[in-house]
Amino acid sequence: MMMRAEPARLEVLWQRLLFCLHKPRVFRDFAISLNLSGDERVMDYMCGMGGIAFFTAKRLSRGQLVCVDASQRLIKACRRTLRRYEGVDVCLMDEPRLESGSFDLIYTHFTLYRLPPDELTWVMERIAGWLKPGGMLLLREPMDAYERLKQIKLLAGQYGLMLQNSRVTNAARLGNVLECLYKRNEEK
C-alpha cells in the first residue's frame, strides 16, 4: 500500500504562492500534450496541489477529471486550486469511487521515479486496473532516473500496458524528461 508523508504546511503554502504568481508553463504545456477531445474520464495520479489539473480541467468541457493523491493536505490544496471547475472530483487514492476499468486516460508527472520498488509495483498494478481496455497512461519522468524508468517499462508490460510512444523532451525548468504513452490491452 502506498504511504506518503504529509508535506509541511509551509511547503504547500510556498507551492501555492509560486503557482498563483507564475502559473508554470511546464504544467500548461503538459496539459496541452494530453491531446484531449473534451469528453474523456481522466485521472491526475498524485495530483499534488493541482497545477496540471488546473489546465487539464479547462480542456474537459464534457468529461470528468479525477484528481488523486495520498496526502490530505495536498487534496485540500488541490480542491482550492480547482474550486471553480465543474466535472472535477478530488479524492484520496483509496476511495471507492475509483472503480476498476473506468478511466480513458491516467497521467502522472514526476511521481513514479520516487517510489521504492515495492510501492512502484503496487502503483503500476492499480493504474493498469483503473484504465479501461484501450485506455492510455501518460507519464513524464526525469531522464536521470533511467534505472527506475526501465523498471516502470517492465512493470507496465507485466500489467498489460503496451508502450505506444516515447520521447525525450526539454521541459521548462525541469531539463530533459522522458514522456511515455502506454495503452492498456483491449481485452480484459
Side-chain angles (χ1 to χ4, degrees):
M1 181 177 219
M2 178 121 178
M3 303 297 265
R4 182 168 173 181
E6 287 289 330
R9 284 185 177 92
L10 189 56
E11 181 183 343
V12 173
L13 180 62
W14 178 248
Q15 287 179 18
R16 183 150 185 76
L17 179 63
L18 288 174
F19 179 76
C20 289
L21 292 175
H22 299 291
K23 301 275 193 280
R25 189 179 97 203
V26 68
F27 294 157
R28 185 198 66 221
D29 292 349
F30 186 72
I32 290 169
S33 79
L34 298 175
N35 233 358
L36 299 170
S37 63
D39 60 353
E40 298 91 345
R41 185 162 194 244
V42 177
M43 178 191 288
D44 181 338
Y45 183 77
M46 298 305 284
C47 60
M49 59 155 288
I52 295 170
F54 177 83
F55 296 102
T56 303
K58 295 177 181 184
R59 303 173 57 92
L60 289 170
S61 56
R62 301 168 316 278
Q64 181 187 24
L65 176 61
V66 178
C67 299
V68 177
D69 206 288
S71 163
Q72 290 275 8
R73 199 167 281 151
L74 289 173
I75 288 292
K76 184 177 178 182
C78 186
R79 283 190 180 118
R80 210 171 306 124
T81 300
L82 302 174
R83 67 184 174 272
R84 293 189 177 102
Y85 294 102
E86 294 182 27
V88 175
D89 189 10
V90 181
C91 63
L92 289 169
M93 71 175 59
D94 290 329
E95 293 194 26
R97 58 184 157 214
L98 299 176
E99 313 91 36
S100 292
S102 64
F103 289 91
D104 298 298
L105 172 69
I106 297 174
Y107 64 84
T108 182
H109 189 270
F110 273 60
T111 299
L112 301 179
Y113 81 101
R114 298 178 189 178
L115 301 177
D118 58 328
E119 283 187 31
L120 180 60
T121 300
W122 181 83
V123 165
M124 290 301 292
E125 183 178 18
R126 299 280 304 261
I127 287 174
W130 286 324
L131 283 169
K132 292 178 179 177
M136 307 297 273
L137 166 64
L138 177 63
L139 57 91
R140 178 188 263 185
E141 302 291 347
M143 275 302 295
D144 60 1
Y146 182 73
E147 289 303 315
R148 187 51 51 97
L149 295 170
K150 287 191 326 188
Q151 185 182 12
I152 291 168
K153 183 178 179 182
L154 181 68
L155 288 168
Q158 185 178 326
Y159 293 113
L161 301 174
M162 308 316 277
L163 183 63
Q164 301 296 298
N165 193 6
S166 65
R167 69 181 184 146
V168 175
T169 186
N170 191 302
R173 297 191 176 161
L174 297 176
N176 288 334
V177 298
L178 180 65
E179 294 178 355
C180 296
L181 182 65
Y182 292 91
K183 183 177 182 180
R184 181 172 173 205
N185 289 338
E186 295 287 340
E187 66 241 11
K188 172 82 171 143

